[in-house]
Amino acid sequence: MAIVAGVDIGNSTTEVCLADFAVSGRRFLAGSIVKTTGIKGTAANVPGIVLALEEALQQVGLALPDLTEIRLNEATPVIGDLAMETITETIITESTMIGHNPATPGGIGLGVGVTVPFDRLAGVKAGERIICIIPGGIDFEDAARELNAAASRGVDLQGAVARQDDAVLIVNRLHRKIPVLDEVTFIDRVPPGMLAAVEVAAAGQSIKNLSNPYGIATVFQLSAEETKMVVPIARALIGNRSAVVIRTPRGDVKARTIPAGLISLSGEKGRTDIDVEAGAAKIMAAVEQVQPVQDVQGEAGTNVNGMLERVRQVMSELTGQPLDAMKIQDILAVDTFVPQKVQGGLAGEFALENAVALAAMVKTSRLPMQQIADQLRRQLGVRVVIAGVEANMAIRGALTTPGTDKPLAILDMGGGSTDAAIISRDERTSAIHLAGAGDMVTMLIHSELGLNDLALAEEIKMYPLAKVESLYHIRLEDGTVQFFEQHLPPQVFSRVVILKESEMIPIPTDHPLDKIRHVRREAKRRVFVTNALRALTRVAPTGNIRHISFVVLVGGSALDFEVADMVTDALAEYGIVCGRGNIRGTEGPRNAVATGLVLSYPDERAGSA
């Protein structure tokens, strides 16, 4: 009898398949899954491997000394990183200030006038067009009384800007309604005597004038050249219900262009340079032009170079290999948006700027895997073998899915990489290992929604959404309504929530449900669908996807509630039968590589006999 464990070290999880090889044949015993410790393919994986082995063995009453052999996949470490290559950065200098808070403005309309501090309101002459600046500490009743008094003297009161959350309370007490914007955090920065514009839209609508460069040009009588320069201001205010723009003495606005940097790609088909500013599509076209990629370098002094060198440095430190031995064997570029803080903003404004996200895969030698094997051997006293390439092992495992046969292609979509492999009827195999998978999707969601909470972005990726419309019902993201007999927790009322198993997690942003859902689905489409097509093209006979008949989806991301459908839809136009795997008829799309490692055990024994 031989007790053999197949161990699949993934970017996110470590999986084990346990089998008993006896004279009467092979019998699968158990399986387990734990979170991967450390970065995939490094010695830090060992504690997670031991824990996964112990969990599987405990299920069948065995212990670590009972193992005959541990078989590891040849794990390639993958680090995904956002290179944040912002094409333009919104810089609004101290000479032009903007502020907005779309939640609680008062009044409706556009007001244009000269800024006057609240304590100087009594000295304003009749007929002067003004915007009153109300600092913190002023009671809303006192503010309304003074504004009414000024208006009764003939002052042309066009609007007001308040520090406190008092806009509605103030407007409700005014004899003549004016647009009032509140919660302007840095109101002390507003200089007196400057031309300003305040705009408030009706509930459910957004401003029209101050989010339009020509509207700003009309208000401030700008030239054509000056109008070009106010585009960042308009962009920062798009979609808001209220806004204030103040022009100070110098009045200069600058949109500073940052050199995005060049990426140098070296591959078997040659070498090419591509500017990150060209966008993800051009970058990926350049990757295909030289593939298979041998190394990627960034232009010195740019953000993209810093990102790529950081990836090399981390892998060098973790593996103990020289920095110059760290070669990037693949990158995935995706167009995205990143919130950039607006310099000169009055309420902590952000503007979405174009950026390119990059996932890079570092190619290391077999040495790190050998270090893992040696450490396990010393620690457990069990024979440890590096048994095979991930994708090839995944094919073996996928073939245990009921209803499958050769020729067969698999897509193994994990946390950091997407693997594809194909096996023909005569057992010939071809495999590819590409950067970019679930971790990159999480980073895109995190970045585009401005969450500052990576764990929350991960949950948005994994679970559907709903809007809590009352304490007794929610509207699901597909439009259906679900009612409850018991009232919901008050903290989720009127919030967009994540439906995680038996709990609701409120999302602490002002983004509507449709926006969050769109960001989530687009991130998955740009990573998973793009990489699925890219990987299958690489392994397909003659590079034509239409020559593939059957595709089995395996790996953690195949469990996602919408990824498998997205990939299936994308492949349907090529006439491909595609679906989630069901490894050994019991495990679903999980455990394919670990199962394949176990299945390869008799082959190795026969080869060494």
Side-chain angles (χ1 to χ4, degrees):
M1 181 179 75
I3 305 297
V4 177
V7 179
D8 173 23
I9 307 166
N11 288 280
S12 302
T13 60
T14 296
E15 300 178 8
V16 166
C17 174
L18 202 64
D20 176 7
F21 287 83
V23 176
S24 57
R26 179 194 64 238
R27 180 169 61 98
F28 289 107
L29 300 176
S32 66
I33 179 172
V34 302
K35 185 174 178 59
T36 296
T37 53
I39 290 180
K40 172 182 176 179
T42 64
N45 299 156
V46 171
I49 295 171
V50 173
L51 179 61
L53 288 169
E54 289 175 338
E55 284 192 8
L57 289 164
Q58 286 172 4
Q59 295 175 33
V60 289
L62 297 174
L64 289 169
D66 296 319
L67 285 172
T68 305
E69 181 173 299
I70 299 170
R71 301 176 66 77
L72 304 178
N73 63 314
E74 191 170 328
T76 303
V78 176
I79 297 180
D81 201 354
L82 278 178
M84 295 303 185
E85 294 308 309
T86 308
I87 295 173
T88 60
E89 178 184 1
T90 299
I91 299 291
I92 297 173
T93 66
E94 59 180 340
S95 59
T96 303
M97 297 184 180
I98 67 169
H100 61 85
N101 184 282
T104 57
I108 295 174
L110 173 70
V112 181
V114 173
T115 56
V116 173
F118 181 76
D119 58 5
R120 301 184 195 174
L121 194 57
V124 179
K125 298 177 182 178
E128 292 187 24
R129 292 164 60 91
I130 69 165
I131 300 290
C132 185
I133 309 301
I134 306 171
I138 304 296
D139 184 77
F140 61 85
E141 290 189 334
D142 294 337
R145 184 170 55 251
E146 291 299 320
L147 291 175
N148 282 327
S152 66
R153 296 196 316 269
V155 174
D156 188 357
L157 190 61
Q158 289 283 306
V161 178
R163 169 63 184 88
Q164 296 171 181
D165 185 13
D166 290 341
V168 174
L169 296 172
I170 292 172
V171 169
N172 286 344
R173 288 161 175 78
L174 295 180
H175 302 323
R176 184 174 68 85
K177 307 304 182 188
I178 58 173
V180 178
L181 184 144
D182 61 3
E183 294 189 66
V184 175
T185 308
F186 305 114
I187 200 165
D188 56 308
R189 297 181 184 176
V190 177
M194 296 298 111
L195 188 61
V198 175
E199 183 178 8
V200 175
Q205 299 183 27
S206 59
I207 56 173
K208 298 294 188 295
N209 294 283
L210 298 184
S211 61
N212 174 8
Y214 300 119
I216 297 175
T218 302
V219 168
F220 294 103
Q221 298 182 346
L222 303 181
S223 67
E225 284 303 311
E226 289 172 325
T227 302
K228 291 180 181 178
M229 305 306 291
V230 300
V231 171
I233 295 178
R235 287 183 61 193
L237 298 175
I238 288 173
N240 292 306
R241 189 185 163 195
S242 60
V244 56
V245 176
I246 303 165
R247 187 171 187 182
T248 57
R250 290 189 298 277
D252 58 330
V253 183
K254 299 178 180 178
R256 188 177 71 200
T257 299
I258 300 175
L262 295 175
I263 297 176
S264 296
L265 301 161
S266 301
E268 288 187 8
K269 297 178 182 176
R271 177 186 173 89
T272 187
D273 294 337
I274 181 71
D275 195 329
V276 173
E277 196 167 309
K282 295 287 182 65
I283 294 172
M284 295 314 297
V287 170
E288 293 304 311
Q289 180 182 332
V290 303
Q291 64 88 19
V293 174
Q294 296 171 331
D295 197 15
V296 181
Q297 300 283 345
E299 181 183 2
T302 63
N303 286 339
V304 69
N305 181 66
M307 176 264 186
L308 295 174
E309 290 307 310
R310 183 167 63 250
V311 170
R312 289 184 220 273
Q313 184 68 41
V314 169
M315 290 311 305
S316 175
E317 292 173 358
L318 289 171
T319 62
Q321 296 177 261
L323 185 61
D324 57 7
M326 299 294 102
K327 303 297 183 184
I328 294 177
Q329 71 175 38
D330 187 56
I331 60 170
L332 174 65
V334 175
D335 288 323
T336 184
F337 298 95
V338 292
Q340 291 285 339
K341 189 173 181 63
V342 175
Q343 303 302 317
L346 298 180
E349 290 81 13
F350 285 83
L352 285 178
E353 298 289 348
N354 297 319
V356 173
L358 290 178
M361 185 169 65
V362 178
K363 183 177 183 179
T364 62
S365 71
R366 188 183 174 92
L367 177 62
M369 288 306 304
Q370 195 58 55
Q371 292 172 343
I372 295 173
D374 293 343
Q375 188 170 330
L376 280 172
R377 189 179 300 111
R378 289 192 301 268
Q379 184 173 333
L380 305 180
V382 177
R383 171 182 163 88
V384 182
V385 175
I386 302 172
V389 177
E390 231 169 320
N392 292 339
M393 294 300 105
I395 281 183
R396 289 177 180 265
L399 283 168
T400 66
T401 295
T404 59
D405 196 5
K406 304 167 191 171
L408 175 79
I410 61 102
L411 275 173
D412 185 354
M413 300 178 289
S417 63
T418 298
D419 304 333
I422 191 167
I423 185 169
S424 64
R425 292 194 182 276
D426 57 2
E427 301 286 332
R428 286 180 298 167
T429 62
S430 176
I432 192 70
H433 197 59
L434 301 177
D439 292 344
M440 191 176 192
V441 172
T442 301
M443 286 192 289
L444 289 173
I445 294 171
H446 181 257
S447 171
E448 293 188 18
L449 294 178
L451 296 175
N452 293 319
D453 185 344
L454 205 58
L456 179 64
E458 179 73 12
E459 290 180 333
I460 290 174
K461 178 185 75 175
M462 294 173 61
Y463 300 101
L465 305 169
K467 178 68 180 289
V468 179
E469 296 188 335
S470 78
L471 290 178
Y472 290 92
H473 84 279
I474 63 175
R475 187 171 299 275
L476 305 177
E477 65 175 62
D478 64 359
T480 58
V481 175
Q482 180 179 351
F483 292 90
F484 299 86
E485 293 184 1
Q486 301 295 324
H487 72 77
L488 299 171
Q491 62 266 28
V492 303
F493 175 67
S494 194
R495 303 305 299 264
V496 178
V497 296
I498 303 167
L499 300 178
K500 182 182 179 181
E501 295 153 1
S502 59
E503 64 176 320
M504 294 181 185
I505 302 173
I507 302 176
T509 73
D510 293 329
H511 298 303
L513 184 149
D514 288 347
K515 167 71 178 295
I516 300 172
R517 180 177 183 268
H518 176 75
V519 167
R520 182 196 73 212
R521 289 180 60 84
E522 278 299 294
K524 290 177 180 179
R525 183 187 61 78
R526 285 178 285 167
V527 175
F528 287 121
V529 175
T530 298
N531 252 2
L533 296 174
R534 193 162 69 108
L536 291 173
T537 300
R538 297 273 189 94
V539 299
T542 71
N544 189 340
I545 292 184
R546 296 187 184 277
H547 292 166
I548 299 175
S549 299
F550 298 94
V551 173
V552 176
L553 303 178
V554 298
S557 295
L559 288 168
D560 185 277
F561 69 101
E562 58 191 354
V563 166
D565 292 340
M566 286 182 176
V567 175
T568 298
D569 286 345
L571 295 180
E573 65 179 271
Y574 298 97
I576 296 174
V577 178
C578 176
R580 292 184 183 90
N582 188 16
I583 310 305
R584 308 202 306 270
T586 60
E587 304 298 312
R590 286 283 196 188
N591 214 255
V593 175
T595 298
L597 289 165
V598 168
L599 293 173
S600 69
Y601 176 74
D603 294 348
E604 184 176 287
R605 296 281 77 80
S608 61

